[in-house]
Amino acid sequence: MRADSTTPAASTEAIVFDLGGVFIEWNPRNLYRKLIPSEAVMEHFLETICTPTWHLQLDAGVSFTTAAEPLMAKHRPLRSLIQAYNDRFDEMWGAPSSALVQMLAEIQLSGVPTYAATNWPGEYWKLALDTFPFLRSFDGALVSGLIGVTKPSPAFYQTLTTTFSLTPARTLFIDDRLDNVYAASKAGYRTHQFLDNLDLRTFLLENGLSINQGDVDADDRPRW
């Protein structure tokens, strides 16, 4: 199921991009496969200890030290594995999509302002900027861990609008998650659910964005 909404291309005054799952793969398995030889044991660790729900605290601005303290106390033999979540956080990232980074550059060259809106732990944002220089090319970035609010909370989109003085009806919001896309639509944004690079390029061209019409792989990111 898709969640797209469009208006005439001339009304596109800005484009907002999600980062994780769009430009950059983020998956703790990229790290923990190095640390836990058994796939089953690794999955159990990620399903019962450093879980997606636990990680949401980091996205919401809770420090790793605070979030990890109860885990460390409860699972003392696993303290080093838990600590690796912080110390080797960058090893959870996959290579960025080179095709999508190129597409972003083409959009920026066309003169359309671009922004990032991401659920991302604030304490690792500078590390992300240093690791992925293209992130500095955005006209601005709203990072959940730095503002203490995550998508799909309505407050996130309200902050996005006011921080960058956006007009939602003239701004395209792109995200891979349906719940985030629906929330953006409710906030008045035009929306597109990201599936892959080729789909996005086709969508942008159909809506009059000035980007190269050359061939591009659907997705050039490594997958787990």
Side-chain angles (χ1 to χ4, degrees), residues 72-136:
M72 296 283 197
K74 184 177 181 180
H75 306 282
R76 291 186 178 278
L78 301 177
R79 289 173 64 94
S80 63
L81 287 176
I82 297 169
Q83 185 62 41
Y85 204 98
N86 175 72
D87 297 347
R88 301 174 63 173
F89 191 85
D90 59 328
E91 294 180 54
M92 301 184 199
W93 294 327
S97 165
S98 59
L100 193 52
V101 171
Q102 176 59 37
M103 199 186 312
L104 174 67
E106 293 171 12
I107 293 169
Q108 292 167 339
L109 285 172
S110 76
V112 177
T114 58
Y115 300 90
T118 182
N119 283 350
W120 202 288
E123 60 191 312
Y124 309 122
W125 180 242
K126 185 180 184 303
L127 178 62
L129 292 174
D130 293 340
T131 304
F132 307 114
F134 80 90
L135 294 177
R136 297 184 184 275

Side-chain angles (χ1 to χ4, degrees), residues 9 30 33 40 55 65 70 72-73 79 92 103 121 136 157-158 168 177 185 206 217 224:
N30 291 334
R33 282 198 176 102
H55 174 88
T65 299
M72 296 283 197
R79 289 173 64 94
M92 301 184 199
M103 199 186 312
R136 297 184 184 275
Y157 300 92
Q158 181 179 358
R177 289 186 49 158
S185 181
E206 289 176 349
D217 291 337
W224 50 271

Side-chain angles (χ1 to χ4, degrees), residues 13-198:
E13 295 179 350
I15 302 178
V16 178
F17 288 94
D18 177 36
L19 297 179
V22 179
F23 286 93
I24 301 166
E25 177 208 13
W26 178 83
N27 193 323
R29 292 167 182 80
N30 291 334
L31 167 63
Y32 282 98
R33 282 198 176 102
K34 304 174 186 177
L35 303 178
I36 304 175
S38 167
E39 189 83 4
V41 173
M42 178 200 68
E43 290 293 344
H44 182 75
F45 176 84
L46 295 176
E47 290 171 2
T48 62
I49 301 175
C50 291
T51 67
T53 299
W54 172 82
H55 174 88
L56 286 177
Q57 299 175 79
L58 307 183
D59 281 346
V62 176
S63 71
F64 172 81
T65 299
T66 299
E69 185 175 359
L71 296 185
M72 296 283 197
K74 184 177 181 180
H75 306 282
R76 291 186 178 278
L78 301 177
R79 289 173 64 94
S80 63
L81 287 176
I82 297 169
Q83 185 62 41
Y85 204 98
N86 175 72
D87 297 347
R88 301 174 63 173
F89 191 85
D90 59 328
E91 294 180 54
M92 301 184 199
W93 294 327
S97 165
S98 59
L100 193 52
V101 171
Q102 176 59 37
M103 199 186 312
L104 174 67
E106 293 171 12
I107 293 169
Q108 292 167 339
L109 285 172
S110 76
V112 177
T114 58
Y115 300 90
T118 182
N119 283 350
W120 202 288
E123 60 191 312
Y124 309 122
W125 180 242
K126 185 180 184 303
L127 178 62
L129 292 174
D130 293 340
T131 304
F132 307 114
F134 80 90
L135 294 177
R136 297 184 184 275
S137 71
F138 286 101
D139 291 275
L142 193 67
V143 180
S144 65
L146 297 179
I147 64 171
V149 180
T150 60
K151 295 178 290 184
S153 168
F156 184 95
Y157 300 92
Q158 181 179 358
T159 303
L160 176 67
T161 300
T162 57
T163 298
F164 302 121
S165 300
L166 300 175
T167 301
R170 295 178 178 272
T171 301
L172 177 61
F173 182 94
I174 298 167
D175 199 299
D176 65 312
R177 289 186 49 158
L178 271 176
D179 53 349
N180 295 337
V181 170
Y182 283 137
S185 181
K186 287 183 179 180
Y189 285 88
R190 298 169 52 212
T191 59
H192 178 73
Q193 183 194 5
F194 178 84
L195 296 181
D196 58 47
N197 297 337
L198 181 58

